[in-house]
Amino acid sequence: MDFTLSPEHRALRRMIREFAENEVRPIAMEIDREHRVPIEVMRALGKTGLLGVCFPQEYGGMGAGEMGYCLLMEELNQASTSVATNVGAHIGIGAMAIYLDGNEEQKRKYLTPLARGEKFAAFGLTEPGAGSDAAAIRTRAVREGDSWILDGGKVFITNGGYADIITVLAVTDPALGARGGITAFIVETDWEGFKVAREEDKMGIRGTSTAELVFEGVRVPHENVLGKVGEGFVTFMKSLDMGRLTLGAACIGGTQMALEQAVRWARTRKQFGVELAHKQTIQWMIADIATELEALRSLVYRAAWLVDTGQPFTQLAAMCKLYGSDVASRAINMVVQIHGGLGISRDFPVECGFRDARIAEIYEGTNEVQRIVIASNIFREHGIRIRP
Amino acid sequence: MRIIVILGRVLDPSGIIVKGKAGRIFVNREEYILQPADRCALEAALRLKDAMGCEVVVLPRTLMPDDDVLRQALARGADRAVYLQGEGPGEMDVGGMTPVLVAAIERLGGGDLVLTGAVTLDTGQGQLGPRLAGALGWPQILEAWQVNVMNDAVRAVQQRNGSYVTVEAHLPAVVTLRSGSLKLRYPDGVRLINVYRGVGEIAEALMAWNVTDLVAEDVLHPQLDHRGRDFPPDRERGVRVEGTPVEAAQAVAKALRQRVRQ
């Protein structure tokens, strides 16, 4: 058992850390205040190759594997959850669906520019009536010759406002539902009939675009069916497994940031004549954060190792997302407490961190859905198929 | 045209705490980074490569225990790098390294321009450039902010007495770059992974030479003997001067007079 990072992953971490410190941290507070997507940062990330970190080099990626992708999310999220979220939606679910189930031609045409950061991706799953119950989507695709006509709408689509390519899930056979009646499509956003209806005004991750999308008779060529007709639900669930794992990695970064802020404040802030560091109440909080952080890091790195060695990882991916978002939220909550009144001041990054942490418990499948995934895997091993 | 860049490493200052009272340096995180001034030299070379298509070859400043800084340079766009292996890593000072580097440059088939950092962050020494220029018999330009090559000459911008001056020297020449003068580009992702993984063309660009093949063994000795480390005395607390400019000036004059009397 070897717990050390490989030389290329150590070098990669150093590169990402340098990028995050120089290009992301200085604008983190500004993009939150201005509710602005830092598109210039996304382009700069693309130029270095980091937006293709986990994809093979033959498709314009770096070939650093899932472990490399975890390091990217961890380091970026230390500097800004908004930037990490933009990247996560682009790589982890948007482009990932094409990588996992796209054919050779689709990978050359779509994955390569996405991996190089020349184009940006989003993942179109959620609808007003289909959140945790993803199979209840209503966006409809009807075959018309060599094309499919797409009608419907998606909500809460991260990167939706600026993405060039969106993987969209639509019903192709209402009678079959999730078992053969749902298909994934690759949609270019400059096609006629596509429009961005509105942007959400959010509490956290304000440096991201969360958009409502409308498809009105969008003509999608048959060659843009992702995977097989009727098997889109499986493609999307596989992509979400990847996204959940790296969301756990992002939570390592958020928790690390919280811990560092706590230690910095406990070293300088004096009460009752001594620094907070000498107060046992504060020590216990910091010890708890550090312990959970270490446990989370071990869980996420092990899950990444499973992916990189071609082993099943769905169960651990759900645990990464569930435990990671809980740990990150608990940590930042304690760090706000350690900062006292200043913890809710907009002058301190912990305030932004507190607002940003909440969404991790919700998106990419709520934590309640993760518990269902984990429990159903356990029961399945014992011959029981739990009912929704 | 061949540009030779000489790079060194330094312990990452963000990972260490200096405690003068205890007379010790505490290393919390032992990580090495590229010497900041050497980063500028590398960027200057890569910009010349972008503009003119010249070859950039990287050599180490001293004998190092690993080739990490060379791999970093290759990941950022250098064409070739030579790792110099020998006894006593890190022990070789500038005096000892100069003949080694001169021999390495000769073995490379010579060069047109040598670029390196002006001053090192840890030891504060700035002798490598001048010593190399002396040993090679080339002109030198020290502490440059910018470097350009025009025809057979190198043109550099220096800062003197608060203003910028442009100076020129015939090639071949040695130019040292000031820390902070240029922002080093980020590595290219694919090159980074391949050079550290040791695969592809980029991995073949990293060579290793033994120093004993370059110079005679009796040349290979440091010229300085390190006998210990001392810390400067603690600085006294400053005094805040209040009031109008006239009052403040009088207060400063009074304080200075008192200090002279003491």
Side-chain angles (χ1 to χ4, degrees), chain B residues 79-247:
Chain B
D79 298 293
R80 279 197 289 161
V82 182
Y83 178 49
L84 299 176
Q85 292 169 318
E87 291 295 312
E91 297 295 318
M92 194 61 72
D93 56 23
V94 180
M97 265 322 271
T98 303
V100 176
L101 289 168
V102 169
I105 291 168
E106 268 175 30
R107 186 160 163 188
L108 282 168
D112 301 287
L113 180 62
V114 169
L115 297 176
T116 189
V119 179
T120 55
L121 183 68
D122 45 356
T123 59
Q125 68 88 359
Q127 292 189 45
L128 184 63
R131 287 214 185 202
L132 268 178
L136 290 162
W138 296 358
Q140 63 177 26
I141 298 174
L142 304 181
E143 306 217 13
W145 282 89
Q146 278 174 28
V147 187
N148 269 311
V149 170
M150 291 175 166
N151 303 323
D152 291 336
V154 56
R155 189 177 282 184
V157 176
Q158 288 176 314
Q159 198 179 24
R160 280 189 205 157
N161 302 327
S163 61
Y164 292 96
V165 292
T166 302
V167 291
E168 212 175 272
H170 277 290
L171 292 175
V174 175
V175 179
T176 67
L177 273 288
R178 275 181 80 120
S179 179
S181 55
L182 297 168
K183 184 187 171 193
L184 179 59
R185 64 195 60 191
Y186 295 104
D188 172 85
V190 173
R191 289 175 74 98
L192 180 91
I193 294 297
N194 288 355
V195 77
Y196 277 91
R197 209 173 260 168
V199 297
E201 275 178 30
I202 185 78
E204 288 166 21
L206 179 60
M207 299 171 286
W209 293 350
N210 204 313
V211 282
T212 50
D213 295 339
L214 294 171
V215 290
E217 269 191 58
D218 58 338
V219 177
L220 279 170
H221 58 84
Q223 294 185 342
L224 284 178
D225 186 16
H226 287 268
R227 294 191 177 168
R229 182 186 283 148
D230 212 353
F231 286 82
D234 281 341
R235 277 181 66 177
E236 287 174 37
R237 272 182 87 89
V239 179
R240 194 183 182 91
V241 178
E242 309 273 354
T244 63
V246 174
E247 287 166 352

Side-chain angles (χ1 to χ4, degrees), chain A residues 14 18 23 48 57 63, chain B residues 39 68 183 186 189 194 197:
Chain A
R14 187 166 51 194
E18 193 181 323
E23 317 295 332
T48 60
Q57 292 181 3
Chain B
R39 289 170 69 92
D68 187 66
K183 184 187 171 193
Y186 295 104
N194 288 355
R197 209 173 260 168

Side-chain angles (χ1 to χ4, degrees), chain A residues 12-62:
Chain A
L12 178 64
R13 181 197 282 278
R14 187 166 51 194
M15 169 190 175
I16 304 164
R17 190 167 287 176
E18 193 181 323
F19 184 94
E21 285 302 319
N22 293 337
E23 317 295 332
V24 182
R25 198 182 292 280
I27 60 153
M29 305 273 271
E30 172 217 314
I31 60 171
D32 175 72
R33 276 197 198 113
E34 295 177 2
H35 206 167
R36 177 175 78 81
V37 172
I39 200 77
E40 73 283 6
V41 172
M42 291 295 282
R43 293 216 171 91
L45 278 164
K47 216 172 145 193
T48 60
L50 286 169
L51 290 184
V53 63
C54 55
F55 301 127
Q57 292 181 3
E58 59 189 295
Y59 301 119
M62 271 172 77

Side-chain angles (χ1 to χ4, degrees), chain A residues 242-321:
Chain A
M242 290 291 201
R244 285 165 184 169
L245 198 170
T246 43
L247 180 54
C251 292
I252 300 175
T255 312
Q256 182 76 50
M257 183 279 285
L259 178 64
E260 280 166 19
Q261 292 292 330
V263 172
R264 190 190 60 83
W265 190 240
R267 277 177 59 196
T268 48
R269 170 75 168 165
K270 275 188 178 176
Q271 286 291 274
F272 303 102
V274 292
E275 288 84 8
L276 293 184
H278 299 290
K279 299 287 176 197
Q280 198 176 48
T281 316
I282 307 297
Q283 292 164 10
W284 286 19
M285 287 188 200
I286 286 176
D288 285 346
I289 296 170
T291 305
E292 291 201 309
L293 172 61
E294 210 47 52
L296 174 62
R297 189 172 269 132
S298 297
L299 173 66
V300 170
Y301 286 10
R302 178 154 178 268
W305 172 78
L306 288 177
V307 176
D308 287 338
T309 51
Q311 300 180 66
F313 66 95
T314 299
Q315 180 78 328
L316 252 64
M319 289 176 179
C320 289
K321 195 272 177 189

